[in-house]
Amino acid sequence: MTLSAIDFEFMAHAFRLAERGLYTTMPNPRVGCVLVKDGQVIAEGWHIRAGEAHAEVNALLAAGDKARGATAYVSLEPCSHTGKTGPCSQALIDAGIARLVYAMEDPNPLVSGNGIAMVRAAGIQVDGPVLEDDARALNPGFVRRMERKLPYVRCKMAMSIDGRTAMASGESKWITGPKARADVQRLRARSCAIISGVDSILQDNASLTVRVDELGLPNADEAAAKQPLRVILDSQLRTPRTALMFKQSTPILLVHNGKVDAAQLQGWPDFVELIALPGKDGRIDLTALLRELAKRHCNEVLVEAGATLSGSFLRRGLLDEIIMYMAPKLLGSNALPLFNLPLDTMSAALSLKIKDIRAVGRDWRITAAPDTEY
Ligand SMILES: NC(=O)c1ccc[n+]([C@@H]2O[C@H](COP(=O)([O-])OP(=O)(O)OC[C@H]3O[C@@H](n4cnc5c(N)ncnc54)[C@H](OP(=O)(O)O)[C@@H]3O)[C@@H](O)[C@H]2O)c1
């Protein structure tokens, strides 16, 4: 493999293009492509929306005849199969590119290595993987779904500096400020599904939608166009039919434990689907739920619940990332914890790896992952 510093720079450029699809490509991956000739970028492309042209095709269209002899930098192996669009590997070959540099193999079993093999078989130089960890980080959900048939699960919590998430009465509006709440809106917008527990619905009456005016994005309309699936875990169907979330008619999945009366299953609005996924404890089987969401092509999912449900996800080892918005406030010792996690000894403590800490308005955002090394 012959790679130079400039190859890394152009690949980073392809990543920045891929990020433009952060809120819109689902369930497809975010992908960017740069065509370079004589050290100059001659065309850029990225995948904008599922069902539309892939990044490579957009870049080739922009380059026209100039693509002949160019190097193509792609953040994901070009596809080799005909889905909603033709195979990108063939398009690159037909356009006469001289070299392909790819960041990671496509984990989609329909591709995985075949795209690279096709381009190589056409006598074109192929180099990669390049910056593979960064490429995977662009698409944590797509990669997880392809490799493990599960979505990538984030849990978001707003907490005080003493780690409390609601008052004992259940009141929790608002712990954090408007900038942190806008950040949560962007987390929702990049997610395919939002999971909450019935007690949060009863207490907060949240609509769990992406709101255009709160996103603070130049492409806010588009980012909010495809609303995430709202998933409510409600073993006994206690959700009131008057809840605010039914005011918006984007899909809702109400998950119960299968032991409800037939009458309880009737009369919901047509955008509400009810399914039974009973767990051993009479509640919902969380692993089965995540498998079900992966089957429904959910890449990234966001858990936005209280300490009970968030604690269940954590205890079962089902969280990939925890995002805590920490407000400079003390809610006091009567207030509710971050996770229901009944531990007694220091040796039982769970370790987290901090991945990122940054200020968001007057609050702090801490991104952590359960630390499997301990
Ligand atoms: N600070 C924040 O970021 C934040 C975010 C959300 C909520 N909150 C606050 O948190 C409070 C509500 O939290 P909560 O802990 O009472 O409720 P919750 O975690 O939102 O919901 C818990 C409920 O989910 C249902 N559930 C179904 N399957 C489950 C499973 N496998 N494991 C656990 N629960 C399951 C259970 O009810 P069934 O047994 O009836 O199914 C359970 O009681 C409210 O005060 C709200 O304001 C804070």
Side-chain angles (χ1 to χ4, degrees), residues 156-158 165-166 170 172 175 197-200 203-204 233-236 238 283-284 286 305-309 312:
K156 156 264 148 188
M157 299 294 267
T165 53
S172 68
I175 296 174
V198 58
D199 288 315
S200 285
Q203 180 63 40
D204 300 344
L233 306 199
D234 181 6
S235 315
Q236 303 162 60
R238 291 187 286 132
R283 287 181 155 172
I284 308 304
L286 301 182
T308 310
L309 183 55
S312 286

CSV table of all heavy atoms in Angstrom, one decimal, residues 156-158 165-166 170 172 175 197-200 203-204 233-236 238 283-284 286 305-309 312, ligand 1:
chain,number,residue,atom,x,y,z
A,156,LYS,N,-29.2,9.5,26.9
A,156,LYS,CA,-28.9,10.9,27.2
A,156,LYS,C,-29.6,11.3,28.5
A,156,LYS,O,-30.7,10.8,28.8
A,156,LYS,CB,-29.5,11.8,26.1
A,156,LYS,CG,-29.9,13.2,26.4
A,156,LYS,CD,-31.3,13.3,26.7
A,156,LYS,CE,-31.6,14.4,27.7
A,156,LYS,NZ,-33.0,14.4,28.2
A,157,MET,N,-28.9,11.9,29.4
A,157,MET,CA,-29.5,12.3,30.7
A,157,MET,C,-29.1,13.8,31.0
A,157,MET,O,-27.9,14.2,30.7
A,157,MET,CB,-28.9,11.5,31.9
A,157,MET,CG,-29.2,10.0,31.8
A,157,MET,SD,-30.9,9.6,31.9
A,157,MET,CE,-31.1,9.3,33.6
A,158,ALA,N,-30.0,14.6,31.5
A,158,ALA,CA,-29.7,15.9,32.0
A,158,ALA,C,-29.6,15.8,33.5
A,158,ALA,O,-30.4,15.2,34.2
A,158,ALA,CB,-30.8,16.9,31.7
A,165,THR,N,-31.4,13.7,38.5
A,165,THR,CA,-32.1,13.9,37.3
A,165,THR,C,-33.5,14.4,37.4
A,165,THR,O,-34.2,14.7,36.4
A,165,THR,CB,-32.0,12.6,36.5
A,165,THR,OG1,-32.6,11.6,37.3
A,165,THR,CG2,-30.6,12.2,36.1
A,166,ALA,N,-34.1,14.4,38.6
A,166,ALA,CA,-35.4,14.9,38.8
A,166,ALA,C,-35.6,15.1,40.3
A,166,ALA,O,-34.9,14.5,41.1
A,166,ALA,CB,-36.5,14.0,38.2
A,170,GLY,N,-40.8,14.2,40.9
A,170,GLY,CA,-40.8,13.8,39.5
A,170,GLY,C,-40.5,15.1,38.6
A,170,GLY,O,-40.2,14.9,37.4
A,172,SER,N,-38.8,17.8,36.6
A,172,SER,CA,-37.4,17.9,36.1
A,172,SER,C,-37.2,19.0,35.1
A,172,SER,O,-36.2,19.1,34.4
A,172,SER,CB,-37.0,16.5,35.5
A,172,SER,OG,-37.7,16.2,34.4
A,175,ILE,N,-33.6,21.2,33.9
A,175,ILE,CA,-32.3,21.1,34.6
A,175,ILE,C,-31.3,21.9,33.9
A,175,ILE,O,-30.5,22.7,34.4
A,175,ILE,CB,-31.9,19.6,34.8
A,175,ILE,CG1,-33.0,18.9,35.7
A,175,ILE,CG2,-30.5,19.5,35.4
A,175,ILE,CD1,-32.8,17.4,35.8
A,197,GLY,N,-39.6,5.6,28.7
A,197,GLY,CA,-40.4,4.8,29.6
A,197,GLY,C,-41.7,5.4,29.9
A,197,GLY,O,-41.8,6.7,29.9
A,198,VAL,N,-42.7,4.6,30.2
A,198,VAL,CA,-44.0,5.2,30.4
A,198,VAL,C,-44.1,6.2,31.6
A,198,VAL,O,-44.8,7.2,31.5
A,198,VAL,CB,-45.0,4.0,30.7
A,198,VAL,CG1,-44.7,3.1,31.9
A,198,VAL,CG2,-46.4,4.6,30.9
A,199,ASP,N,-43.2,6.0,32.6
A,199,ASP,CA,-43.2,7.0,33.7
A,199,ASP,C,-42.8,8.3,33.3
A,199,ASP,O,-43.2,9.3,33.9
A,199,ASP,CB,-42.5,6.4,34.9
A,199,ASP,CG,-43.3,5.2,35.5
A,199,ASP,OD1,-44.5,5.4,35.7
A,199,ASP,OD2,-42.7,4.2,35.8
A,200,SER,N,-41.8,8.4,32.4
A,200,SER,CA,-41.4,9.7,31.9
A,200,SER,C,-42.6,10.4,31.1
A,200,SER,O,-42.8,11.6,31.2
A,200,SER,CB,-40.2,9.6,31.0
A,200,SER,OG,-39.0,9.4,31.7
A,203,GLN,N,-45.0,11.6,33.6
A,203,GLN,CA,-44.5,12.8,34.4
A,203,GLN,C,-44.3,14.0,33.5
A,203,GLN,O,-44.7,15.1,33.9
A,203,GLN,CB,-43.2,12.4,35.1
A,203,GLN,CG,-42.6,13.5,35.9
A,203,GLN,CD,-43.5,13.9,37.1
A,203,GLN,OE1,-44.1,13.1,37.8
A,203,GLN,NE2,-43.5,15.2,37.3
A,204,ASP,N,-43.6,13.8,32.4
A,204,ASP,CA,-43.2,15.0,31.6
A,204,ASP,C,-44.1,15.3,30.5
A,204,ASP,O,-44.1,16.5,30.0
A,204,ASP,CB,-41.8,14.7,31.0
A,204,ASP,CG,-40.7,14.5,32.0
A,204,ASP,OD1,-41.0,14.8,33.2
A,204,ASP,OD2,-39.7,13.9,31.7
A,233,LEU,N,-41.9,2.2,26.2
A,233,LEU,CA,-41.9,1.0,26.9
A,233,LEU,C,-42.9,1.1,28.0
A,233,LEU,O,-42.8,1.8,29.0
A,233,LEU,CB,-40.5,0.6,27.4
A,233,LEU,CG,-39.4,0.6,26.4
A,233,LEU,CD1,-38.2,-0.2,26.8
A,233,LEU,CD2,-39.9,0.1,25.0
A,234,ASP,N,-44.0,0.3,27.8
A,234,ASP,CA,-45.2,0.5,28.7
A,234,ASP,C,-45.8,-0.9,28.9
A,234,ASP,O,-46.8,-1.2,28.2
A,234,ASP,CB,-46.1,1.5,28.0
A,234,ASP,CG,-47.4,1.8,28.8
A,234,ASP,OD1,-47.5,1.3,29.9
A,234,ASP,OD2,-48.3,2.5,28.2
A,235,SER,N,-45.3,-1.7,29.8
A,235,SER,CA,-45.7,-3.1,29.9
A,235,SER,C,-47.2,-3.2,30.0
A,235,SER,O,-47.8,-4.1,29.4
A,235,SER,CB,-45.1,-3.7,31.2
A,235,SER,OG,-43.8,-3.3,31.3
A,236,GLN,N,-47.9,-2.4,30.8
A,236,GLN,CA,-49.3,-2.6,31.0
A,236,GLN,C,-50.2,-1.6,30.3
A,236,GLN,O,-51.4,-1.5,30.6
A,236,GLN,CB,-49.6,-2.4,32.5
A,236,GLN,CG,-48.8,-3.4,33.4
A,236,GLN,CD,-48.7,-3.0,34.8
A,236,GLN,OE1,-49.7,-2.9,35.4
A,236,GLN,NE2,-47.5,-2.7,35.3
A,238,ARG,N,-50.2,1.8,30.3
A,238,ARG,CA,-50.7,2.9,31.2
A,238,ARG,C,-50.6,4.3,30.5
A,238,ARG,O,-51.1,5.3,31.1
A,238,ARG,CB,-49.8,2.9,32.4
A,238,ARG,CG,-50.0,1.7,33.3
A,238,ARG,CD,-49.3,1.9,34.7
A,238,ARG,NE,-47.8,1.8,34.5
A,238,ARG,CZ,-46.9,2.7,35.0
A,238,ARG,NH1,-47.3,3.7,35.7
A,238,ARG,NH2,-45.6,2.4,34.9
A,283,ARG,N,-41.7,-7.0,32.5
A,283,ARG,CA,-41.6,-5.8,31.8
A,283,ARG,C,-41.2,-6.1,30.3
A,283,ARG,O,-41.6,-7.1,29.8
A,283,ARG,CB,-40.5,-4.9,32.5
A,283,ARG,CG,-41.1,-4.4,33.8
A,283,ARG,CD,-40.1,-3.5,34.5
A,283,ARG,NE,-40.8,-2.5,35.3
A,283,ARG,CZ,-40.2,-1.7,36.2
A,283,ARG,NH1,-38.9,-1.8,36.3
A,283,ARG,NH2,-40.9,-0.9,37.0
A,284,ILE,N,-40.4,-5.2,29.7
A,284,ILE,CA,-40.1,-5.4,28.3
A,284,ILE,C,-38.7,-6.0,28.2
A,284,ILE,O,-37.8,-5.6,28.9
A,284,ILE,CB,-40.1,-4.0,27.5
A,284,ILE,CG1,-41.5,-3.3,27.8
A,284,ILE,CG2,-39.8,-4.2,26.1
A,284,ILE,CD1,-42.7,-4.1,27.4
A,286,LEU,N,-35.4,-5.9,26.7
A,286,LEU,CA,-34.7,-4.8,26.1
A,286,LEU,C,-33.8,-5.3,24.9
A,286,LEU,O,-33.7,-4.6,23.9
A,286,LEU,CB,-33.9,-4.0,27.1
A,286,LEU,CG,-34.7,-3.4,28.3
A,286,LEU,CD1,-33.7,-2.6,29.2
A,286,LEU,CD2,-35.8,-2.5,27.8
A,305,ALA,N,-35.0,8.5,28.9
A,305,ALA,CA,-35.9,8.0,30.0
A,305,ALA,C,-35.4,8.4,31.3
A,305,ALA,O,-34.3,9.1,31.5
A,305,ALA,CB,-36.0,6.5,29.8
A,306,GLY,N,-36.1,8.0,32.4
A,306,GLY,CA,-35.7,8.3,33.7
A,306,GLY,C,-34.7,7.2,34.2
A,306,GLY,O,-34.2,6.4,33.5
A,307,ALA,N,-34.4,7.3,35.5
A,307,ALA,CA,-33.3,6.4,36.1
A,307,ALA,C,-33.7,5.0,36.0
A,307,ALA,O,-32.9,4.1,36.0
A,307,ALA,CB,-33.1,6.8,37.6
A,308,THR,N,-35.0,4.7,36.0
A,308,THR,CA,-35.5,3.2,36.0
A,308,THR,C,-35.1,2.6,34.7
A,308,THR,O,-34.4,1.6,34.7
A,308,THR,CB,-37.0,3.2,36.2
A,308,THR,OG1,-37.3,4.0,37.4
A,308,THR,CG2,-37.5,1.7,36.4
A,309,LEU,N,-35.6,3.1,33.6
A,309,LEU,CA,-35.4,2.4,32.3
A,309,LEU,C,-33.9,2.6,31.9
A,309,LEU,O,-33.3,1.6,31.4
A,309,LEU,CB,-36.3,3.0,31.3
A,309,LEU,CG,-36.2,2.4,29.9
A,309,LEU,CD1,-36.4,0.9,29.9
A,309,LEU,CD2,-37.2,3.0,28.9
A,312,SER,N,-31.9,0.1,33.7
A,312,SER,CA,-32.1,-1.3,33.1
A,312,SER,C,-31.2,-1.5,31.9
A,312,SER,O,-30.6,-2.5,31.7
A,312,SER,CB,-33.6,-1.5,32.7
A,312,SER,OG,-34.4,-1.7,33.8
B,1,LIG,N1,-33.0,14.3,33.6
B,1,LIG,C1,-33.3,13.7,32.5
B,1,LIG,O1,-32.6,13.6,31.5
B,1,LIG,C2,-34.6,12.9,32.5
B,1,LIG,C3,-35.0,12.3,31.3
B,1,LIG,C4,-36.2,11.6,31.3
B,1,LIG,C5,-37.0,11.6,32.5
B,1,LIG,N2,-36.6,12.2,33.6
B,1,LIG,C6,-37.4,12.2,34.8
B,1,LIG,O2,-37.4,10.9,35.3
B,1,LIG,C7,-38.6,10.6,36.0
B,1,LIG,C8,-39.2,9.3,35.4
B,1,LIG,O3,-38.2,8.3,35.6
B,1,LIG,P1,-38.6,6.9,36.0
B,1,LIG,O4,-37.3,6.2,36.4
B,1,LIG,O5,-39.7,7.0,37.0
B,1,LIG,O6,-39.3,6.3,34.7
B,1,LIG,P2,-38.8,5.8,33.3
B,1,LIG,O7,-37.4,5.3,33.4
B,1,LIG,O8,-39.0,6.9,32.3
B,1,LIG,O9,-39.8,4.7,32.9
B,1,LIG,C9,-39.8,3.5,33.7
B,1,LIG,C10,-40.9,2.6,33.3
B,1,LIG,O10,-40.6,2.0,32.1
B,1,LIG,C11,-41.3,0.8,32.1
B,1,LIG,N3,-40.5,-0.3,31.6
B,1,LIG,C12,-40.8,-1.2,30.6
B,1,LIG,N4,-39.8,-2.1,30.5
B,1,LIG,C13,-38.9,-1.8,31.3
B,1,LIG,C14,-37.6,-2.4,31.6
B,1,LIG,N5,-37.2,-3.5,30.9
B,1,LIG,N6,-36.8,-1.8,32.5
B,1,LIG,C15,-37.3,-0.7,33.2
B,1,LIG,N7,-38.4,-0.1,33.0
B,1,LIG,C16,-39.2,-0.6,32.0
B,1,LIG,C17,-41.7,0.5,33.5
B,1,LIG,O11,-43.1,0.7,33.7
B,1,LIG,P3,-44.0,-0.6,33.4
B,1,LIG,O12,-43.5,-1.7,34.3
B,1,LIG,O13,-45.4,-0.1,33.7
B,1,LIG,O14,-43.8,-0.9,32.0
B,1,LIG,C18,-41.0,1.5,34.3
B,1,LIG,O15,-41.6,1.9,35.5
B,1,LIG,C19,-39.5,11.8,35.7
B,1,LIG,O16,-39.5,12.6,36.9
B,1,LIG,C20,-38.8,12.5,34.6
B,1,LIG,O17,-39.0,13.9,34.7
B,1,LIG,C21,-35.4,12.9,33.6
